[in-house]
Amino acid sequence: NSYGFAKDSLCKQLLSLKLKKHFNFTWARLFYMFGSGQSETSLFPSLVRAVQNGDSKFKMSSGEQIRDFLPVEAVAKRLVNIALKSPNAGIVNICSGNPISVKGLVEGWLLEYDWNIDIEYGVYPIPDYEPLAFWGVNEKSVIDLE
């Protein structure tokens, strides 16, 4: 899509400029984050709100999408580590490297937080502009990102 194309174009332009003007360059590719500060319409805050409201059901898509999720605290810690330890890391994926279905993630949250709510799968369609499976590879280990 045009958003992805624009990000890729900017990264390539910066890499090209780096060849002419030497500067530190790190391009952090953020994958799917969840947690504090997230848009209230996102999956995690919506589920939290449904639980807090005492809803009996939570409506969502089929949950078959495969994604790479990280809590926002882990993302922040990795970004700080990169900035402090390796400010010229190049392109770095900020991801778990462990693909999981959205359904599996939601079911994991239910267990982790001991939430009692029924999930109603398949209510919302998966948007046709989203890939069914998208996750990161964190093989590039320039520093200890943990």
Side-chain angles (χ1 to χ4, degrees), residues 114-146:
D114 196 30
W115 289 335
N116 187 19
I117 190 168
D118 291 328
I119 306 300
E120 194 172 341
Y121 296 106
V123 174
Y124 304 116
I126 297 172
D128 59 2
Y129 56 84
E130 283 187 7
L132 187 57
F134 186 79
W135 66 91
V137 175
N138 53 14
E139 290 175 0
K140 182 176 183 178
S141 182
V142 293
I143 58 172
D144 177 19
L145 296 177
E146 292 301 324

Side-chain angles (χ1 to χ4, degrees), residues 7-24:
K7 287 193 306 184
D8 185 53
S9 294
L10 176 59
C11 182
K12 287 176 180 173
Q13 287 294 319
L14 289 170
L15 287 169
S16 176
L17 182 61
K18 185 176 177 1
L19 295 174
K20 298 173 188 163
K21 307 275 186 184
H22 299 287
F23 57 89
N24 288 342

